[in-house]
Every structure is written in structure tokens, then in C-alpha cells.
Amino acid sequence: MPDQALSGLLVLDLSEDISGPYCAKLLADYGAEVIKIEVPGWGDSSRRRGPFPGDQPHQERSGLFLFLNTNKKGITLNIKSGSGVEIFKRLVEGADIVVENFRPGVMAGLGLDYEALVEVKPSLIMTSISYFGQRGPYRDYQGSDIVAQAMGGWMQLTGDPALEPLKLPGSQAEFQAGLNAAVATLCAVYLRDQSGEGQQIDVSLQEAVASILESAVAMYSYSRFVRRRMGSRHHLQCPSRAMPCKDGWIHVQAGANWDHFATFLETPELMQPRLASILRYRYADEVEGLIQPWLESREAGEIFSSAQEWRIPFAMVLGIDELMEDRQYKARGFFQEMGHPVAGRFTYPGAPFRMSETPWQGRRAPLLGEHNEEIYCEGLGFSKGDLARLRENGVI
């Protein structure tokens, strides 16, 4: 049995920023050999995005880059040069997968689109991620994570109904697209292993968002009902929202048994017929008003532990500073420390899922061009003199 589930796969990661690197990271974390290809001297754009230790920008110390590129090897290559294109095609000959997230048309302009690369490697899988996809009237439009969240429908559903639509924190559209891309890539690997056929995968951030709008699309399709923003409330379940308690916030969830819930909260008023009905969401303000005094007299940890003993799904609203001290994360060893020769030693999120026989492994992200000699000399047969000339000419 191989050491890891994806051992034996070779991936060329041409992507930048978040969506493509996250896709390739998931493959690398579970055993694929991923070669991160960056612009000489400049590198992935995420190297210039924080956070940075001590708030001092440095291309080898970006927390975002270091997280998104664990377990990868790193080389530099200028694919805008003729020599760079030829070297890339030589790398493709031995590769299983290419991941890229350039604007649609960029790879074709370089002579490196799927049609060109499949001539080099007929069984190649090429995963292309973009904001609006490779086809359609928006194909060439500019995008960003907030654009994808807005155009995908998330923002219209997020925030207080009396205020402006909000984006979800972080770059959720980028990460969701990267996750979709990794799953699609593995589906294509499975087909290739059965048939020998490669294919191109087209991932749109807009569609990645629109595919996870819960029941909003179905509700509109069935009844032309348009879901609106409801703040932290659930559109049907009541109560189901974050509410203040004595020392912070607690997420309140009724669970399946309303009698049980009312007894736990020592609030018999909740058993009034209209509040005990499944239509109680119409009276959400009243329900929450009855619950609030009980919550304000207790701390979040106490409420959480007691509710779970009663089998009621309350949750503490943990801050980032609390996550790494949480006993569940500690018990499962989720957060992992990794050292880096320039950035130092820091804590990173670990395995997003567990495999009993072929587990996740963690190794630091590469320095810019760190594996040039290994890949070009040992892999492609270049001499050190060749590398020096390529470097002088701006190819690597």
C-alpha cells in the first residue's frame, strides 16, 4: 500500500492566490507530488499578502502563502518566454494534472491551453478555475472573491434585513472553488485510470457559490418565494441564532423536542400553543425575548456543557484565539506546528478529513525556486551550467 492515498500522482500547479493553490494543496496534503511553478523573482501574488510575522512584509513569510502551499515543491519558470513554454511542455510529459487559474484565454495565448497540452500528453487532466468559467457572456469579466459572492447569490442572503448585503468573512468563494476543483480532479483521475482518457475541468467561482445556497433556489423554483436576509436567524428554525450570554455569545438551537428545550431553559412560557408550534418563527422576537434573561445569567461554557448533556445542540461562538485551546481540536491534533527556514515556526490548520490507512502529512511550503535544481537537473537532465544560463536569460 502507498504511504498516502494520492502517492504516484504528479501535479503541475501554475495557479496563484487562493482557489488553484488550495485545490493543489489538498492533492499535495494527501500524497500527490505537486510542483508549484512561480514567476522568477516575483512568485505567487499571495506571497505579497499578509499576515506577516511582526507585520513586516517578506515574500517568504506570508501566512497565506505558507498555508496554501504546504507539501509542495517549488520552482520558478517564465512561461511567457519561448524557452519557458518548451520547458513547461517537457514537464507536462511526465505529469498527470495541470492546475491553473488564469483568466480564460491566457493559457491559449501562451500556446498552453488544453488543446495544445493534450497533444503533448493525451491522458492529461487540466483543471481550470476562473471567476465565471471558460465560456459564457461573463467569461472575460474581471472578478474577485466578493464579486463571486455577490454574483453567486450569497450576499443577498447574508446580513441584517434592514441593512446592506454582506459578504462572508475571508475568501469563501475562492476556497469553495478550490475544493470543487480538487473533487472534480480526482473524479477525472478515476475516469482516466479506467479509460486512459484525460479531460479539461472548468470550475467557475460564481457557480461554486450558487451550488450551495441551501434551499433558496429550490424554494424559488417551487413557489417563486425569494428568501431574504435574516441576520443570524435561520429562515425556518426558531430559535436558531447567536445570542448574547453573560460572557460572550452562544448559538441557540432548539433541537427536535420543544418540551425538552423549554424545560432545559426553565421557561414554561415557551409552551404557549403558538410558540410551541412549528410556525413559531413568525414570533421569533417573542421567543428570543423569553430566552434572553436565562442566557444573560450564565456563561457560554456552562450553557454549552449543560445543553449538550441534555442533548440540545447549543454551541459556543469561539474566537480565533480560542480555537487552538479548544479541547476537541487538541484531542484530534487538528492544529499542527510547522517550521520554516525564513518565516519561523507557526501553527497551521491540519487535516480537513482523516483517512485511517493513508493519513494526511504536513511539510512546509517551499522557498521561491527552492527545488529548481532537483526538478530541472535531476528530473529533466539540465546541467548546472544550463540553469545558470536560463537564470541569466530570465527563464527560471
Side-chain angles (χ1 to χ4, degrees):
M1 179 179 290
D3 291 338
Q4 290 187 273
L6 302 182
S7 296
L9 286 179
L10 178 59
V11 181
L12 303 180
D13 179 12
L14 273 177
S15 62
E16 291 200 350
D17 202 39
I18 295 175
S19 61
Y22 186 59
C23 166
K25 167 188 165 60
L26 290 172
L27 303 178
D29 285 354
Y30 288 90
E33 181 181 358
V34 176
I35 300 174
K36 173 79 175 177
I37 301 174
E38 301 182 74
V39 178
W42 189 246
D44 187 328
S45 59
S46 67
R47 288 182 178 273
R48 292 173 293 285
R49 292 178 58 182
F52 298 100
D55 204 26
Q56 297 296 313
H58 189 290
Q59 68 176 7
E60 301 293 359
R61 293 178 177 169
S62 161
L64 180 64
F65 178 87
L66 295 176
F67 166 66
L68 287 170
N69 294 282
T70 55
N71 291 309
K72 300 179 185 179
K73 295 179 179 180
I75 65 172
T76 51
L77 182 64
N78 179 9
I79 59 171
K80 293 183 178 179
S81 68
S83 296
V85 167
E86 292 307 310
I87 292 172
F88 182 73
K89 287 182 176 180
R90 288 187 60 187
L91 291 170
V92 167
E93 290 175 4
D96 299 285
I97 300 159
V98 170
V99 177
E100 62 92 11
N101 63 352
F102 294 113
R103 287 182 296 104
V106 168
M107 291 292 280
L110 296 170
L112 296 174
D113 56 353
Y114 177 69
E115 288 71 19
L117 295 182
V118 80
E119 293 292 324
V120 176
K121 181 71 176 284
S123 62
L124 181 71
I125 296 163
M126 183 169 179
T127 301
S128 299
I129 309 170
S130 60
Y131 289 106
F132 297 104
Q134 300 297 309
R135 287 170 289 281
Y138 299 166
R139 186 191 95 135
D140 297 320
Y141 285 13
Q142 294 294 311
S144 66
D145 183 83
I146 193 171
V147 168
Q149 291 198 34
M151 298 290 285
W154 258 345
M155 289 181 62
Q156 195 60 255
L157 299 174
T158 307
D160 190 293
L163 299 174
E164 70 277 7
L166 298 177
K167 74 179 288 292
L168 297 179
S171 300
Q172 299 304 319
E174 297 272 3
F175 280 102
Q176 184 64 38
L179 176 59
N180 287 6
V183 172
T185 299
L186 294 179
C187 290
V189 169
Y190 182 82
L191 176 66
R192 186 210 60 181
D193 289 349
Q194 300 298 312
S195 68
E197 296 180 5
Q199 60 184 299
Q200 184 177 20
I201 296 164
D202 178 3
V203 178
S204 154
L205 266 74
Q206 181 189 31
E207 292 171 354
V209 171
S211 67
I212 53 172
L213 298 180
E214 199 180 352
S215 60
V217 174
M219 291 172 72
Y220 181 75
S221 177
Y222 294 168
S223 63
R224 290 297 184 262
F225 176 78
V226 178
R227 268 184 56 188
R228 306 295 183 185
R229 294 186 298 285
M230 298 189 68
S232 67
R233 285 175 174 163
H234 192 274
H235 68 287
L236 290 177
Q237 298 179 32
C238 175
S240 178
R241 72 172 303 179
M243 297 180 67
C245 59
K246 187 175 182 179
D247 63 342
W249 293 85
I250 190 86
H251 182 82
V252 177
Q253 182 88 27
N257 190 318
W258 188 250
D259 296 6
H260 190 63
F261 179 73
T263 302
F264 168 70
L265 291 172
E266 303 169 347
T267 309
E269 296 89 344
L270 291 172
M271 291 309 299
Q272 298 173 57
R274 60 194 176 83
L275 301 185
S277 163
I278 61 172
L279 300 179
R280 73 180 70 93
Y281 62 85
R282 296 176 178 175
Y283 311 104
D285 288 342
E286 185 176 354
V287 170
E288 292 165 7
L290 289 170
I291 295 170
Q292 191 61 63
W294 189 91
L295 297 175
E296 290 177 348
S297 68
R298 292 164 174 81
E299 295 182 351
E302 173 193 355
I303 297 171
F304 171 66
S305 296
S306 297
Q308 290 295 331
E309 288 176 3
W310 281 61
R311 307 300 295 163
I312 300 174
F314 280 36
M316 294 182 291
V317 181
L318 297 178
I320 298 300
D321 57 332
E322 298 170 299
L323 290 179
M324 285 179 277
E325 298 304 317
D326 183 77
R327 60 179 182 168
Q328 178 68 9
Y329 287 120
K330 283 188 172 182
R332 290 174 59 82
F334 176 71
F335 291 103
Q336 298 284 321
E337 280 196 355
M338 292 186 202
H340 187 276
V342 178
R345 193 165 189 84
F346 293 99
T347 301
Y348 300 83
F353 53 88
R354 307 302 175 98
M355 302 182 71
S356 63
E357 304 303 322
T358 53
W360 176 93
Q361 295 179 17
R363 297 181 301 277
R364 67 168 176 84
L367 302 169
L368 183 61
E370 179 176 353
H371 299 96
N372 278 357
E373 187 171 323
E374 175 187 336
I375 301 302
Y376 291 131
C377 296
E378 298 176 23
L380 298 185
F382 286 99
S383 67
K384 291 185 178 180
D386 293 331
L387 258 62
R389 285 187 290 274
L390 290 170
R391 192 174 293 111
E392 290 173 4
N393 293 327
V395 178
I396 65 170

